[in-house]
Amino acid sequence: MKILVINCGSSSLKYQLIDMNDESVLAKGLVERIGIEGSNLVHKPTGKEEYKEAKVMESHKDAIELVLAALVDKDHGVIASTDEIGAVGHRVLHAGTKYSDSIIVNDDVKKVVRECFDLGPLHNPANLIGIEACEAAMPGTAQVAVFDTAFGMAMPQKAYLYAIPYEYLDKYSLRRYGFHGTSHSFVSKETIKFANLDPEKCKVIVCHLGNGASISASIGGKCVDTSMGLTPLEGLIMGTRSGDIDPTVVQFIANKEGKSVDEVLNILNKKSGVLGISGVSSDFRDIDKACAEGNERAIAARDAFIYRVAKYIGAYTAAMNGVDAIAFTAGVGENNAEYRKLICEYLTFLGVEIDDEANSHRGERVLISTPNSKVKVVAIPTNEELSIARETLALVK
Ligand code: ADP
């Protein structure tokens, strides 16, 4: 079966068409600047030349129509008709407390996605438009919602509660959820297979270190804690997000700088993290270059980022009373051997030992700990699209 994976961001749409017989990617692409001047499509059919089209796209509905047209085009298409698409898997940001698993879309599911607009104001509306546009363009084809919050729903109450008046949980479902769920779910499962761990009992920590960064602890593949909270702002230091912070900082900046709460939150989401500390960039490659040139603020940003990851690994090891494997994934986790090494230097008390030669590999699946290491440490490339496609196939087959 061929499965189309759709990931609608606030003004973008990423897609992949995957042949599930061999999990090969038939085509993938990106639409950017939806609803903004200069919207365009970049379509990459496997084995054919890349195709680009600039076109005014006012909504995600226009974008979906353009993507489907590209997929069936006689020159740069990869299928003869959209009838060949067996199902569509949609990445959906937030399901609140309603769903802890992927689900075939019906009216109730769409209602829940709509009810969660408050919790995911940038993504849930786009996700719903994407679903409805695919329903209109491919009537009768199963649409599956794969929620970014689903993995975190397995967290026990002690991990998801905020210590605030309980009525806010009852009234608004105000609690910790966690994000990057498809990545944490995929990488934890792949780690279990790759490191040959007991699938029922193994204790795994996944460090998803990209521009957005989060960390999860799972036992037997079930999440017991994860670092993002009600929104992706909580937890690790990220490219532009502060991660954990004393909420009084919001009040302090608002009062001193004459800003509203929304404006300060915007600063914590978009102008903080390693960008905020370094003043150099949100991109870790730029941070590294500045570190190599002796830029003290870039070094401070890198050190704080690494320290926070190590601190969370320590906390999650306590949460699980042990850890069998630690996995690194996403842009930094898959590629940056130096960061993996620096993080693991904090973990020698756990008996973690890194093999420098193995750790020199980039962007591939590799065991980077020595045979003597008490904890297996791996780098596993994440693949959120494949994870969504597998979830979709499991529901429709
Ligand atoms: P997101 O999906 O959250 O945008 P990614 O997982 O793509 O983030 O990660 C982006 C980060 O990964 C950037 O900070 C970038 O510097 C870093 N990165 C990507 N590729 C490499 C690489 N080859 N070497 C080092 N860092 C990399």
Side-chain angles (χ1 to χ4, degrees):
M1 183 188 288
K2 296 182 181 98
I3 291 183
L4 178 62
V5 176
I6 298 281
N7 181 358
C8 289
S10 51
S11 65
S12 68
L13 185 160
K14 287 189 216 156
Y15 62 94
Q16 279 194 12
L17 183 65
I18 301 177
D19 186 342
M20 296 310 286
N21 290 328
D22 57 359
E23 296 190 335
S24 62
V25 177
L26 301 173
K28 61 181 170 182
L30 171 67
V31 182
E32 281 182 306
R33 303 182 63 85
I34 299 167
I36 310 171
E37 206 180 79
S39 43
N40 65 85
L41 161 82
V42 179
H43 172 71
K44 297 178 181 166
T46 305
K48 292 186 182 178
E49 232 166 81
E50 183 175 294
Y51 170 77
K52 290 186 182 170
E53 184 171 343
K55 190 175 179 193
V56 177
M57 280 175 269
E58 298 204 336
S59 75
H60 289 78
K61 184 168 178 293
D62 298 339
I64 297 260
E65 283 166 8
L66 195 66
V67 167
L68 293 178
L71 288 170
V72 300
D73 186 88
K74 66 177 173 24
D75 295 323
H76 48 262
V78 291
I79 47 177
S81 137
T82 54
D83 292 346
E84 288 182 44
I85 299 172
V88 185
H90 296 265
R91 180 181 186 179
V92 181
L93 184 79
H94 225 302
T97 53
K98 293 289 166 29
Y99 299 120
S100 47
D101 270 313
S102 305
I103 188 163
I104 296 184
V105 173
N106 58 24
D107 287 347
D108 288 341
V109 175
K110 285 192 278 183
K111 189 162 161 269
V112 168
V113 175
R114 197 173 291 111
E115 282 167 2
C116 293
F117 280 6
D118 265 4
L119 293 169
L122 294 180
H123 291 85
N124 269 42
N127 300 151
L128 186 61
I129 296 172
I131 290 170
E132 289 179 336
C134 286
E135 283 177 335
M138 292 175 276
T141 304
Q143 312 287 325
V144 171
V146 180
F147 299 102
D148 220 30
T149 48
F151 184 70
M153 288 309 290
M155 267 191 282
Q157 194 183 45
K158 63 187 175 188
Y160 72 66
L161 279 181
Y162 286 121
I164 56 176
Y166 198 86
E167 68 197 74
Y168 299 129
L169 175 68
D170 284 341
K171 269 209 276 196
Y172 308 120
S173 304
L174 208 164
R175 48 163 278 176
R176 306 186 61 255
Y177 289 93
F179 296 86
H180 290 146
T182 46
S183 177
H184 286 288
S185 165
F186 180 82
V187 175
S188 57
K189 284 187 193 129
E190 294 299 307
T191 301
I192 293 170
K193 283 190 260 168
F194 183 64
N196 204 13
L197 305 173
D198 178 340
E200 303 291 320
K201 295 193 191 134
C202 64
K203 298 169 177 175
V204 175
I205 294 176
V206 173
C207 308
H208 177 111
L209 309 178
N211 188 28
S214 64
I215 178 164
S216 69
S218 59
I219 300 180
K222 281 212 168 59
C223 179
V224 296
D225 209 340
T226 185
S227 60
M228 286 176 164
L230 176 72
T231 75
L233 186 56
E234 192 178 334
L236 300 179
I237 294 173
M238 311 183 206
T240 63
R241 294 191 192 113
S242 63
D244 295 337
I245 203 157
D246 178 344
T248 312
V249 170
V250 177
Q251 183 195 38
F252 193 94
I253 298 175
N255 288 344
K256 292 283 182 194
E257 301 270 319
K259 292 190 187 299
S260 67
V261 168
D262 283 4
E263 285 170 329
V264 179
L265 260 296
N266 195 46
I267 292 171
L268 295 184
N269 271 300
K270 303 212 171 120
K271 297 188 175 158
S272 300
V274 292
L275 168 68
I277 298 176
S278 70
V280 171
S281 170
S282 62
D283 192 297
F284 284 90
R285 281 169 289 201
D286 300 334
I287 297 286
D288 285 350
K289 192 161 162 278
C291 286
E293 289 161 358
N295 181 318
E296 285 181 11
R297 274 174 52 192
I299 293 169
R302 182 198 60 192
D303 290 353
F305 172 81
I306 283 163
Y307 173 71
R308 181 83 55 94
V309 177
K311 197 164 86 165
Y312 262 93
I313 293 174
Y316 284 177
T317 303
M320 297 191 288
N321 197 3
V323 58
D324 299 309
I326 298 168
F328 289 100
T329 194
V332 176
E334 290 164 27
N335 295 297
N336 198 318
E338 189 197 0
Y339 281 35
R340 295 191 298 235
K341 170 100 177 153
L342 290 169
I343 291 164
C344 289
E345 278 174 6
Y346 280 96
L347 308 175
T348 50
F349 78 101
L350 290 174
V352 168
E353 214 177 272
I354 295 302
D355 176 336
D356 288 334
E357 205 289 311
N359 188 37
S360 66
H361 293 255
R362 281 166 172 265
E364 56 184 287
R365 194 171 276 230
V366 58
L367 179 73
I368 62 172
S369 50
T370 64
N372 282 335
S373 181
K374 294 215 170 65
V375 181
K376 288 183 176 170
V377 186
V378 297
I380 305 260
T382 191
N383 191 336
E384 293 175 85
E385 288 78 13
L386 181 57
S387 177
I388 292 169
R390 284 180 183 170
E391 294 268 326
T392 303
L393 181 68
L395 281 172
V396 299
K397 124 173 137 176

